[in-house]
Amino acid sequence: MKVCLIEPSKFVSLTNFVSTISMPPIGLAYIAAAIREAGHDVSVVDGPGSAPRSYHMFEDKVRIRGLTQDQIIENIPSDTQVIGLGCMFTSHWVYARKLVSKIRQRFPKSYLLMGGEHVTGFPEFSLEQAPLDSVVMGEGEETIIQLLEHVEKNLPLDDVCGIAYKDSEGVVKVNPRRQRIKEIDSIAQPAWDLFDIKKYNEVNQPHGSSQGKFMPMLATRGCPFSCTFCTSPNMWTTEWIPRDHKLVVDEMQEYQNLYDATDFQFEDLTAIVRRDWIIDFCDEIINRKMEVTFQLPSGTRSEGIDFEVAEKLKKAGCHEFSFAPESGDPRVLKEIKKKVNLPSLYDSARSALKAGINVGCFFIIGFPEDDYRSVLKTYAAMVKCAWVGFTNVNLNAYSPQPNTESFKMLQKMGVITEFDDKYLMSLFT
């Protein structure tokens, strides 16, 4: 089949740090690789990456980086049979929904599907609001291949695990979730040849600090923890699976040869879980005498980092990582199921700083469990981070993401009663 995958253009605001990041979409690149490996003809329209220095307004409300919706549609091959889009953040749903409607008008006979954390958390809502034929929930590589096979052969979709869809009468059906892929080393490497990596490096706004030509990487998948405010337990379950560390380093060397990459941004949800894995990974880089840098900007665990590990990380090229305790109040940490010991975290940070690694820290205020005492404790923890010597501290406001434990609690309490556009956009602003 002829498949076109689309990365929609993104909201951007100088007051929203995450929105200013310009990174090649690793999730879409993995899906493209899986589709191509299965024998389908795949193309990509990368909204943000095709025009990373272009900005326009969406409905006079928010600034957009990348191609306009009309430009995105113009780049879809006219004979495309299946069109797939990604939507990670629920705050982008208002934009993605309108884009899907425009695509449906231009391609009335094409099969439209969407994946990502938003539709995984809100499958019925998404299918009712947009003219999508189906949505892929959770990890997508195996699901998309089975779905394409069924669409191509016009087979019933009721046995395709991991999707929600509209039946012939327009009724939304939600199938059981698919089991996580165990043999993740068998997953095809991202199809980066379909993206303009050079443009991303020219803009030079990666997730972490810039240290040269960069590439996004995944060394592991999933997170073993179940924080109440996080979408990961629903998207990935609580299973953490590492890749073979040698294959990860092989991939880094491949990107050195193909893209002159010298810096690697590991976008893992929780990169450091097993101490032995990270040591083996660092030793592999050291033994190959690779001149690279890498960082773990998404946040990692402090339990596996002592001075020995920190020295090993630094020697291998790690120059920055972040911890994410979220709250400075032990009571709130317990209630949000954030398994963090703050004194141990500070000790780990001291070890990393002593080894010469920059260390950041993420906090959130406004949890439903917060009160003025816990907020003061969080501010006190931020002061403690400054005293310890953390390189940077980031403070964000809590936002209830769909289908998280925290979100469901707020629904039950009657705090969240509807999901209008004002609510959806508030998750961004």
Side-chain angles (χ1 to χ4, degrees):
M1 297 191 78
K2 192 155 188 177
V3 182
C4 180
L5 299 180
I6 298 172
E7 181 73 4
S9 298
K10 305 295 184 186
F11 291 167
V12 63
S13 169
L14 293 178
T15 60
N16 185 321
F17 164 72
V18 174
S19 75
T20 66
I21 295 167
S22 180
M23 290 282 287
I26 193 167
L28 201 72
Y30 267 113
I31 296 299
I35 292 172
R36 185 165 62 185
E37 189 177 57
H40 300 284
D41 182 358
V42 60
S43 62
V44 167
V45 180
D46 183 4
S50 298
R53 299 186 186 276
S54 296
Y55 300 89
H56 58 278
M57 296 300 293
F58 174 67
E59 297 182 348
D60 296 321
K61 294 178 181 178
V62 62
R63 190 173 299 276
I64 299 287
R65 166 187 265 178
L67 299 176
T68 65
Q69 294 191 345
D70 289 341
Q71 289 171 330
I72 288 173
I73 294 170
E74 288 169 4
N75 280 280
I76 301 173
S78 59
D79 56 348
T80 296
Q81 297 166 283
V82 177
I83 300 172
L85 302 90
C87 185
M88 181 173 180
F89 299 112
T90 291
S91 57
H92 287 88
W93 171 246
V94 176
Y95 176 87
R97 181 186 63 200
K98 185 171 183 178
L99 177 59
V100 170
S101 295
K102 284 187 173 184
I103 292 172
R104 173 57 75 200
Q105 290 174 5
R106 182 74 68 88
F107 295 88
K109 295 182 180 180
S110 295
Y111 192 89
L112 293 187
L113 61 91
M114 182 176 283
E117 298 209 13
H118 167 74
V119 296
T120 298
F122 262 176
E124 299 97 335
F125 174 81
S126 302
L127 287 166
E128 288 164 358
Q129 283 215 339
L132 292 162
D133 293 301
S134 66
V135 300
V136 174
M137 301 178 293
E139 192 173 37
E141 285 87 353
E142 291 183 344
T143 302
I144 189 66
I145 299 310
Q146 187 182 9
L147 175 59
L148 289 177
E149 180 185 10
H150 278 59
V151 171
E152 185 174 27
K153 296 178 180 178
N154 198 28
L155 300 173
L157 299 179
D158 55 351
D159 65 338
V160 181
C161 292
I163 69 165
Y165 64 99
K166 294 173 184 171
D167 66 13
S168 58
E169 297 180 355
V171 178
V172 174
K173 304 287 187 180
V174 181
N175 289 354
R177 291 289 293 272
R178 184 178 296 270
Q179 293 294 313
R180 286 280 308 283
I181 301 171
K182 304 295 184 182
E183 301 298 328
I184 66 171
D185 289 323
S186 67
I187 299 172
Q189 284 185 196
W192 290 128
D193 58 295
L194 300 177
F195 298 81
D196 194 334
I197 300 301
K198 184 178 179 181
K199 276 189 179 179
Y200 279 102
N201 274 288
E202 286 174 352
V203 173
N204 198 25
Q205 291 177 292
H207 194 170
S209 62
S210 172
Q211 298 290 319
K213 291 184 179 179
F214 63 88
M215 285 294 291
M217 294 278 298
L218 281 179
T220 66
R221 287 193 174 195
C223 175
F225 303 100
S226 54
C227 302
T228 62
F229 60 92
C230 185
T231 59
S232 174
N234 182 54
M235 178 72 183
W236 295 99
T237 74
T238 55
E239 187 170 12
W240 179 84
I241 306 175
R243 295 172 58 192
D244 183 316
H245 65 278
K246 292 183 179 180
L247 295 180
V248 176
V249 180
D250 286 345
E251 186 178 347
M252 294 169 71
Q253 288 189 316
E254 183 176 335
Y255 295 157
Q256 281 184 299
N257 295 329
L258 290 174
Y259 305 110
D260 296 323
T262 59
D263 187 49
F264 298 90
Q265 309 264 330
F266 283 90
E267 298 297 298
D268 302 55
L269 291 168
T270 312
I272 299 179
V273 172
R274 272 180 28 203
R275 189 176 187 274
D276 63 328
W277 189 94
I278 198 67
I279 288 176
D280 289 343
F281 169 69
C282 291
D283 281 340
E284 191 68 25
I285 293 174
I286 294 166
N287 293 337
R288 297 192 195 189
K289 297 181 171 58
M290 295 170 62
E291 294 184 5
V292 297
T293 57
F294 65 92
Q295 50 198 306
L296 314 170
S298 295
T300 191
R301 301 293 299 185
S302 58
E303 296 87 346
I305 299 175
D306 54 21
F307 186 65
E308 178 188 356
V309 172
E311 273 195 314
K312 188 78 71 173
L313 282 163
K314 179 63 177 178
K315 188 175 181 181
C318 181
H319 59 86
E320 180 176 331
F321 59 70
S322 297
F323 295 134
E326 317 301 2
S327 175
D329 187 345
R331 175 188 63 81
V332 173
L333 291 173
K334 182 177 180 180
E335 292 184 11
I336 65 175
K337 299 182 181 178
K338 186 74 183 186
K339 296 180 179 180
V340 171
N341 181 287
L342 291 171
S344 296
L345 182 146
Y346 298 135
D347 287 342
S348 293
R350 290 187 183 96
S351 294
L353 291 164
K354 183 180 177 182
I357 299 173
N358 293 331
V359 183
C361 203
F362 297 116
F363 288 99
I364 295 173
I365 57 173
F367 286 113
E369 296 83 2
D370 264 328
D371 55 27
Y372 77 92
R373 294 183 182 86
S374 63
V375 171
L376 288 175
K377 288 181 179 180
T378 295
Y379 279 117
M382 293 170 65
V383 172
K384 179 66 176 288
C385 287
W387 181 78
V388 169
F390 278 71
T391 312
N392 60 80
V393 176
N394 189 284
L395 179 64
N396 290 299
Y398 165 79
S399 63
Q401 298 301 314
N403 218 17
T404 60
E405 186 176 337
S406 182
F407 178 88
K408 292 176 181 177
M409 178 188 72
L410 291 172
Q411 280 185 306
K412 189 175 182 180
M413 293 169 59
V415 176
I416 297 176
T417 56
E418 56 183 314
F419 317 113
D420 57 15
D421 289 359
K422 183 178 179 181
Y423 165 78
L424 295 169
M425 293 293 291
S426 74
L427 296 175
F428 175 75
T429 56

